[in-house]
Every structure is written in C-alpha cells, then in structure tokens.
Amino acid sequence: MMKTLLAGLLLCLCALGTPGPSLAQDGRDAGDDPIQKLQREGWTIVQDGVLRRQSNPGEIETFVYGVEGFTWKLQDLRAQLRKLRAEMQAAPTPDLRRAVASHRKVIASTREMIERARAAEADGETATLKVLSCSPTFNYDAEAAHKTDRQGTWADASAEYHMPAECYGTGEVYAYAFAKTTVNGAPTTATVTDGPRSGADVSAAADANRNGGPLCESYAYASVTGYGLNLSSYSKAKSNESCAWPAPPYVSVKSDKSPELWLDEEECVTITWTVNISGGVPGYTSRIYRNNVFLKNGTSYSENVCNNNDGTYEWAGADITIRADVTDSAAQSTSASQRTNVIFIHWRP
C-alpha cells in the first residue's frame, strides 16, 4: 500500500505543534485537520504524538511524530530489544546477535529523532508550502502466521521510502522478522533484520520461518521514518502464537458400477475404482489394496470380472473391497474404501 496521501500528512503535521492542547481537544476544522483525516481512516489517538490502528487480530499500525511520539517509539523498541536479549540468553545464535546489534542502531537513531524534534519545537519550526509540494512515497508491511503446508511459523516484514529526484529529503527504513518453534523438546529460532538504512531511495526486507511444534510464535516489524522539518514515523507490527497442524486430506473411493452387481452366465464387466483426494497438503502418495492385498500406487484401479459359475450353485458371489491409503506431504495419512458385491447367476434347466 503506497502511502502518497499520508506522506503529505506526514509533512504537515507539525503545523499542529506537539506542545500545547491535547490532540483530542484540537478545535481545527475536520476538513483541514490531518489528525482527523487519519481518524476517519481508522486511526485512534493513544496520546499526544501517537496514533494507532488495528486492522486484523495481532496486527497493529502506529504513527508517531514529535517528542512525545518518538519517545513512545523508543519505549516500544526497547521492549523488543529486551525480548531479543531474553531469546539470546536462552539459546544464543549468530542471527540473534546481529538482530540485537541492529535494534541498538535503530534505538540510537530514534534517540536522535527525539533530539531533532525537541530542537525543532524549541525553534518553533513549521512545514512550508514548498516542503508540502514535494512528498515522498513509502510502503511498509508486516505479516506473521502459522504455516499451512506443515507445522511451523513464519514472519515477513518490508519497508520502502522514495523521495523524487527533483526534491530534497531523506528517510529511514527498518525491517525485523522472528520465528520460533520447538523441535525435540528444544526451542529453535530464526531472526532476520535489515537496516536501519537511510537515504532518499531506500528499502529493507526481512523474512524468517521455522518448522516445528508448540511452544511457537512469530513476529514481524516494519518501520519508515521521514527526516523532514516534521519528523514522523509509521510502523506496523504483526504477532502470531500458533503453529497448528494443517487439516489432514479427505479421501473417498468410488466405483463406476453399483455396489451390488448381478452378472448373468458368461457375462463380463470391467469395474473401475477411483480415489478422490482433497484438502491436506498437496503432494500425495496413494497406495491401493484389494481385500487387504497391496496392488499398486496410484489413484485408480480397474478389474475385469466374469460370471464363470459352473452350475454347482444357483448363484455365487465375489466380495471385492478396494482401499486407498493416502499420505500428504505433511506426513498425514487417511484411508477410505468401497465394497462391491458381485453376484454370479446360474439358470438351472
């Protein structure tokens, strides 16, 4: 979602001024107030300098500006850093060490944003029409969920900032992804960070995934910060605590003839059984059995059945049961069968 409209709002928010009355008490006209424009798009004021929006469970977008906003962002980043340090103490890995180092860098840049915002407020700086005529475009996204093809978790984060070549201005991007599962009773993690990276045309991306079972979690975080006269930042975080197994496949066995079939003397018929598979995780193996005797791998079987009743009996029968054992690529197995009763008729003189 490219943010061209909100990029313009990002540059004009300082016209409100971060000191003074609460944002909730600002009496500006709703048509001109950028905060009220954000509210109409589903954003909620948390405190001065901080707005948040939740579109889906476990997903939070945050917009901050000014000293109060960046102070809030600093606290959020410090909480993430504490989580990373706890994971590293429990099971240190090189990617966790790199993530801790990256988080320290983005915390340092956030402290610098606070000082810049404080200096701007002291000088009474405001955005100008000239600045508003040159707006950046940017994109940020974060997703975290359980896998659908096997048991496990994944997370993905991305951020982009683009200022037109004829304009002046830079921004900062940062992406962080974390995935954790349990394998053989021990935790296993994947942690990937990209950035912080600053410039007029910058991007960052991180993805992490782990196979395994509970306890499990995944988390993604993406941030874009504008370095204009009005310092402001958008971020999105998504968390997940599920690594549910995908549903097993559904299997049925059907023949092209009636389940009870009567054959006259010397009559023959070809019966075809078809294995139908749906759901589960594609990549199926199907083994076909006739009366519990393995025949072949596949999803169909045909047999020619003839009435060779020699007249000893007025009628005789053949009971044929075709069974299919199906395993999907997540090693989940399901069985199904169909019984066909063939009756051989002999007409006595």
Side-chain angles (χ1 to χ4, degrees):
M1 49 180 178
M2 292 304 288
K3 307 285 187 177
T4 51
L5 171 60
L6 294 186
L9 296 177
L10 177 149
L11 290 172
C12 68
L13 276 170
C14 65
L16 294 175
T18 50
S22 163
L23 292 174
Q25 298 171 343
D26 196 307
R28 295 176 183 272
D29 180 74
D32 300 323
D33 189 337
I35 294 300
Q36 293 190 24
K37 289 180 180 179
L38 288 171
Q39 288 180 287
R40 288 198 297 271
E41 294 179 3
W43 296 79
T44 301
I45 298 172
V46 177
Q47 64 175 57
D48 281 356
V50 181
L51 290 88
R52 307 194 84 184
R53 175 169 68 177
Q54 181 171 357
S55 302
N56 299 297
E59 177 183 291
I60 296 288
E61 285 182 89
T62 305
F63 173 70
V64 303
Y65 69 97
V67 174
E68 291 88 347
F70 278 97
T71 299
W72 188 96
K73 181 178 180 178
L74 179 63
Q75 294 169 349
D76 185 44
L77 289 169
R78 283 173 172 167
Q80 294 181 32
L81 181 60
R82 288 193 293 271
K83 168 70 173 175
L84 284 170
R85 283 174 170 166
E87 293 291 344
M88 190 170 68
Q89 289 176 357
T93 63
D95 58 352
L96 277 169
R97 291 190 182 94
R98 286 190 292 269
V100 167
S102 296
H103 250 60
R104 285 173 174 162
K105 290 179 182 178
V106 77
I107 284 173
S109 69
T110 302
R111 286 199 189 104
E112 183 182 347
M113 296 303 102
I114 294 172
E115 294 307 315
R116 288 190 184 186
R118 185 173 286 120
E121 290 175 6
D123 292 341
E125 291 184 1
T126 57
T128 67
L129 291 175
K130 182 177 181 182
V131 174
L132 289 172
S133 67
C134 250
S135 297
T137 57
F138 58 95
N139 181 43
Y140 60 96
D141 200 11
E143 295 292 338
H146 66 81
K147 296 186 176 183
T148 57
D149 61 341
R150 65 199 66 200
Q151 196 173 30
T153 62
W154 64 270
D156 182 86
S158 62
E160 302 175 22
Y161 178 95
H162 304 287
M163 179 64 79
E166 66 275 12
C167 302
Y168 175 78
T170 59
E172 179 188 274
V173 294
Y174 182 60
Y176 158 50
F178 172 79
K180 179 180 180 180
T181 61
T182 303
V183 177
N184 298 325
T188 175
T189 63
T191 312
V192 180
T193 57
D194 192 13
R197 186 173 295 116
S198 60
D201 190 3
V202 288
S203 62
D207 64 89
N209 74 87
R210 272 292 178 266
N211 297 331
L215 298 170
C216 58
E217 61 181 293
S218 56
Y219 179 81
Y221 176 82
S223 173
V224 179
T225 300
Y227 287 167
L229 290 175
N230 173 52
L231 300 171
S232 52
S233 178
Y234 287 92
S235 64
K236 182 177 180 181
K238 180 69 179 290
S239 59
N240 160 67
E241 295 182 352
S242 173
C243 53
W245 277 103
Y250 172 77
V251 180
S252 65
V253 178
K254 302 292 183 182
S255 75
D256 62 348
K257 300 294 187 293
S258 170
E260 185 170 280
L261 191 62
W262 294 69
L263 297 185
D264 285 329
E265 294 177 288
E266 298 183 358
E267 182 183 359
C268 293
V269 66
T270 299
I271 309 173
T272 298
W273 291 265
T274 301
V275 181
N276 302 297
I277 309 170
S278 61
V281 182
Y284 311 107
T285 299
S286 175
R287 294 171 60 85
I288 297 177
Y289 296 80
R290 184 189 189 280
N291 293 348
N292 294 322
V293 176
F294 174 71
L295 295 177
K296 57 180 287 191
N297 288 332
T299 56
S300 67
Y301 168 69
S302 297
E303 182 174 323
N304 191 45
V305 180
C306 293
N307 182 352
N308 294 320
N309 190 344
D310 60 5
T312 303
Y313 304 100
E314 185 172 349
W315 61 268
D319 194 2
I320 304 172
T321 299
I322 301 299
R323 187 183 86 242
D325 293 348
V326 175
T327 303
D328 67 7
S329 61
Q332 300 179 111
S333 297
T334 307
S335 296
S337 62
Q338 187 187 53
R339 174 179 174 268
T340 301
N341 184 26
V342 184
I343 299 171
F344 305 133
I345 302 172
H346 174 70
W347 301 103
R348 290 184 177 180

